[in-house]
Amino acid sequence: MDIVTGFMIIILALILLWQMKPAPKGTFYENSFSLAVSKGIQGFFALLIIAHHVYIFLNTRGIAAESLQCFEHAGVLLIGFFFFCSGYGLIISFHTKQNYLKGFVVKRVLIVLVPFFICNYAYLSVELLLGSRFRISELIAAFFGVLLLNSQMWFAVEIMCLYLIFYLLFSHVKDEKCSIAIIVLIIVGMSALTMLNCRSYELSNWYWGEWWYNTTMLFPIGMIVAEKKDLLRSLAVKHYRILLTISFVGFTIFRLLSNRELHLRGYWTMKMMDKVQAYLLQVPSVIFFVMLLVLILLKVRVGNPLLDFLGKFSLEIILVNGVFLRLFLGIMQTYGLVCYLCLTFVGTILSAVLLYKLKRSILELK
């Protein structure tokens, strides 16, 4: 571990541990997975995603960033938790908020669509200002968000698609279990089609790459957990140590196996069996990770003003981060990784706050 890695881990640990409170011995927190708690965790994970994005961005451009290599495979776990929270939150809101589906498109879809297009145009502008050249057809496709110049924005497309599927099913199918089962089948179908998509993209890179499907199953899993939350909490409290051990061991084993598979073969051999094998090892690692985290939250209360603050803008942080990765690349090459990291973190967070406020203003006007 070098000085940069050590310093980052210390800062991140302090942010997470500030005001953390363990439950008294023999007790468990009620409402351990409340909106405030889950949002705070998402805010913290958004910081980790910045570090993950920095490593991937530099690595794909042949720039060594060994200090951040520990974040290389973190993204799948972090985004898996975001999908889990989204599915969980939809069901909880559907059960507790009267007429929840009324105005759903504005509440859930436009709230993602607005920052998506703002960040999309910001990234396109930066690329053009830095001298990138595109064909007219590529510019049109990028303008409408069909071609993602910043591939990290796939999450916004994916979550909006899932929200629309949820809305259509829960508006027209009365049986909730049937609706969730259909969502599972749709995700399986979407995953299979994406695996089969081996073509080189030209004017659209939607559903191209394993990141489009290796975390999405956490969305219906979150919905199922929300449906059965009382029963699952009862079982978790009753068999806490056993389940905690199972989740830890399961996560460790599948994490090691999936990382090994990704380094040996993975998704990019373009062989279907390699893709399926990587998927079948990676998805359980994400499921066990989320399970482990949810169990830990039964015994530990996480939350502080900084996490609450970051939790409000976690989506915007994920979407706008790519703008600064690209904008400050020259600084990285001139002044080094530490300067690049600091500017990227500061620029991303400040812009996320402004983007959030702009989004709220636009939606209020509507």
Side-chain angles (χ1 to χ4, degrees), residues 3 105 115 121 134 193 212-213 219 260 285 288 295 300 320 361:
I3 230 172
V105 173
Y121 298 145
F134 305 97
L193 289 173
W212 285 87
Y213 60 84
F219 182 80
R260 180 176 180 273
S285 75
F288 278 118
L295 287 169
V300 178
V320 79
S361 298

Side-chain angles (χ1 to χ4, degrees), residues 3 75 113 265 348 363:
I3 230 172
L113 187 66
R265 290 176 295 271
T348 297
L363 292 177

Side-chain angles (χ1 to χ4, degrees), residues 176-187:
E176 291 182 27
K177 293 179 181 178
C178 181
S179 294
I180 295 174
I182 293 172
I183 290 173
V184 171
L185 292 175
I186 290 173
I187 288 175

Side-chain angles (χ1 to χ4, degrees), residues 11 16 57 79 90 115 139 148 269 345:
I11 294 296
L16 182 64
F57 183 84
I79 293 297
L90 287 178
L139 286 174
L148 302 178
T269 64
F345 269 90

Side-chain angles (χ1 to χ4, degrees), residues 237-283:
V237 168
K238 185 177 181 180
H239 305 289
Y240 186 75
R241 290 186 179 180
I242 295 172
L243 291 173
L244 190 69
T245 302
I246 290 172
S247 60
F248 177 76
V249 173
F251 168 64
T252 302
I253 291 173
F254 279 102
R255 185 64 171 163
L256 291 172
L257 290 175
S258 63
N259 285 355
R260 180 176 180 273
E261 177 65 22
L262 291 174
H263 284 295
L264 290 177
R265 290 176 295 271
Y267 298 99
W268 291 96
T269 64
M270 296 305 172
K271 296 178 180 178
M272 180 54 65
M273 286 311 299
D274 287 347
K275 290 183 179 183
V276 171
Q277 187 166 316
Y279 176 82
L280 292 178
L281 290 173
Q282 198 169 44
V283 171

